[in-house]
Every structure is written in C-alpha cells, then in structure tokens.
Amino acid sequence: MDAVAQRAGVSKQTVYTHFHSKDALFAAAIEALVKPMHDSLHGSQDDIEGCLRALAEVYCQRARDPSTKALSRILVAEAPRFPRAARQLYQCGSGAVLQRLSARIEHAMRRGELLQTNPDQAAELFLSMLNGMNPERSLLGLRQRGQKAQDKWAADAVNVFLRAYRPDSPSPVKTSRKSP
C-alpha cells in the first residue's frame, strides 16, 4: 500500500479511502486489467467467430503489456499469503472472463453456430489455446513470442477452435501410430 501511495503521489490514508483493503486494491487492478476482455465479449460481435477474434486480439494486447506482466508476477507471489484475495481475484479476473466466454459460446451453441457440447469446457479450451506456454515463460522471465508470432498464434487458436466446434467443419483426420 505504501508503494501504491508513493507511485500515485498521495498519502497511504488516501489510498485506503478509495480502497478499504489490499484485497479491494488488487480486485480493482484485476478488474481494470480484464475490462477490455469483458468488453470484447459484450456482444458487439454477433457471430461467434467475430467474438473469438475480438477476444484474441485484446488478449494479445494485454499479454504484451509490461504492466500486465508485472501485475501478474505480483499477484502470483502474493497469492499464498492472501488466499482469500487470490480466490476473489480469480473470480473477478480470469474466472469472470471464462464465465462470460462460456455464456457467449453457449449462446452460439443454441444458435447452431457451434456443436452442442459443454460450453464451460469449450471456453476453457479456447483460453488455454490462446495462452499456450507464454504464462510460464513470462513468470520465469523467459523470452516469449514476438507480436507477429503471438498474433498468428491467436489467429491459429481461433481457427483450430472453430474447426473443432463448428457443426459444418470436416471431421479431424484420425491417425494411428503403428509400431515398427
């Protein structure tokens, strides 16, 4: 809280006036971080492909943002000391994006845009595909994909997801491995 007050150029008491606890401050930081992702899922894109592409674009922008990476490292480091805050942060951050995406996917399933399956699982699979191994690389301070590579990765994730979940997509090719 001292560091936040110093960076904002206000007293610690002023910070506590706006954010009654460290938990509330973290929650506000997470909400600001995920707001663009929520906005992309709001429904301005009527079709599921447009929605997924909009989310992927915002996700890529957020993933490249140095302040996002720094906040993620802080939150991961503080989670064991503040488990209640960690749960709250997940619920208003990644968990909320996951729920919103699941609702959007369920809507697309009802409209016949996607196969009728488990929308929660489909949403989590999509977000996992967007992430790849970059979160681990980021947390460890390792080199990540550049902007062009990440944008292509995200576009590929949308394409793979749609190929798997669209009713009119060709069935995946089954391969078998024969032992030598």
Side-chain angles (χ1 to χ4, degrees):
M1 295 300 266
D2 289 326
V4 169
Q6 182 181 13
R7 179 113 187 239
V10 297
S11 71
K12 189 173 175 181
Q13 186 59 42
T14 301
V15 174
Y16 274 109
T17 300
H18 287 83
F19 305 101
H20 303 297
S21 66
K22 189 183 258 189
D23 293 355
L25 176 62
F26 277 153
I30 291 298
E31 286 175 16
L33 185 68
V34 298
K35 184 181 181 330
M37 287 184 257
H38 283 293
D39 291 347
S40 73
L41 293 168
H42 191 5
S44 61
Q45 296 288 339
D46 196 35
D47 67 306
I48 192 65
E49 182 174 350
C51 174
L52 294 173
R53 291 198 188 285
L55 175 61
E57 181 180 334
V58 171
Y59 175 83
C60 288
Q61 290 169 354
R62 287 314 217 182
R64 286 190 296 268
D65 183 3
S67 63
T68 299
K69 293 175 190 177
L71 180 58
S72 296
R73 284 189 186 111
I74 290 169
L75 296 174
V76 167
E78 294 294 324
R81 293 185 339 142
F82 301 99
R84 193 178 100 243
R87 273 191 309 279
Q88 177 189 6
L89 295 174
Y90 176 80
Q91 289 169 348
C92 71
S94 301
V97 170
L98 180 62
Q99 284 181 334
R100 199 138 187 206
L101 177 58
S102 177
R104 201 58 187 83
I105 287 173
E106 184 175 28
H107 177 72
M109 288 175 177
R110 283 194 309 268
R111 290 177 50 166
E113 289 181 88
L114 299 175
L115 295 170
Q116 293 284 329
T117 62
N118 181 330
D120 295 332
Q121 182 180 12
E124 191 164 343
L125 282 169
F126 178 71
L127 291 176
S128 296
M129 284 192 292
L130 280 181
N131 280 320
M133 296 300 291
N134 262 357
E136 287 80 1
R137 290 183 193 111
S138 177
L139 287 173
L140 296 171
L142 301 175
R143 187 170 181 268
Q144 298 176 48
R145 286 184 284 276
Q147 180 176 345
K148 278 184 166 183
Q150 182 59 40
D151 290 345
K152 181 169 179 351
W153 181 277
D156 288 347
V158 172
N159 293 337
V160 167
F161 181 86
L162 292 173
R163 184 173 175 124
Y165 283 94
R166 273 202 174 134
D168 57 351
S169 289
S171 300
V173 176
K174 293 185 180 185
T175 60
S176 63
R177 293 186 183 187
K178 294 182 180 180
S179 53

